[in-house]
Every structure is written in structure tokens, then in C-alpha cells.
Amino acid sequence: MTRVLIIDDDTSIRQVIAYALADEGYQVDEAADGEAALDLVARQHPDIILLDMKMPGMDGWQFARLYREQYGHLAPIIVLTAAQDAAQRGWDVNAESYVAKPFEIDLLMARVSAISKGL
């Protein structure tokens, strides 16, 4: 079963995504910021990471850098961002994909599904 880690400081967004993923059979972990996410990763490595870029504390850029320094390039990252240039945010952290906020849950699920099939 594919394990997805959702990293986003917005509880409502995390809950909606977690519900949709669980409904499709994914195992889901959640973190409100990069620091909490690194703690989770130390205990259980995800197969896919959904990463918000702007969060208080450790943001998405810092998380991606530290994650790759500590663990290498293990899990594909899908960037979730409200930035005008979502593609650039994905490029900034060498993400496999990106989804601009606000997003359609079906689009996000399609991106997760496409990446999980390639694992």
C-alpha cells in the first residue's frame, strides 16, 4: 500500500486530502510543518510527499533540502502552492509535480495516482 505524507499548515486542506487519499486506499500521514514532517519521516518513510511551500516554522524549501540531505531522493514530491507561479515552486525543490491552490481534488488525486503507478 502506498504511503503518502501530507505537509500543510492548513488543517482543513490536510483533512480533505487525507480523506480523499484514504478513500482510494492510500495510507496517509499528516504534518503541519516541515519539522513535524521530518520527525514522521524518521519513523516511517513515505512513498509520496505532498508539500506546501509556505508554512510557519520550517517551510517547504527547508524541508525539501533537509529531507534530501538526510535521506537522499527517496520519495517523489508534489508541491502544493498558492503562489502565482506554481511550476517555479516545483522547480525550486526539484519536485516531480505540482498543483496550484486552490485545486480540484480530482486533479491532485490523478497526480498522486500517476506517480504511485511509477513506484
Side-chain angles (χ1 to χ4, degrees), residues 3-79:
R3 179 177 293 276
V4 179
L5 172 57
I6 306 165
I7 310 168
D8 197 307
D9 61 319
D10 187 317
T11 304
S12 299
I13 289 175
R14 283 196 325 269
Q15 289 175 341
V16 167
I17 296 170
Y19 179 80
L21 288 168
D23 194 48
E24 291 295 320
Y26 293 94
Q27 289 184 321
V28 180
D29 294 312
E30 299 178 43
D33 62 36
E35 186 174 344
L38 284 176
D39 289 343
L40 280 171
V41 169
R43 294 190 305 272
Q44 180 67 48
H45 290 286
D47 298 304
I48 299 172
I49 297 171
L50 304 181
L51 179 62
D52 183 26
M53 298 308 292
K54 291 193 175 185
M55 298 177 285
M58 184 186 298
D59 64 22
W61 290 275
Q62 292 170 308
F63 169 82
R65 182 179 52 78
L66 291 172
Y67 172 71
R68 291 202 171 116
E69 283 175 5
Q70 293 176 19
Y71 300 102
H73 189 102
L74 297 177
I77 294 174
I78 300 173
V79 165

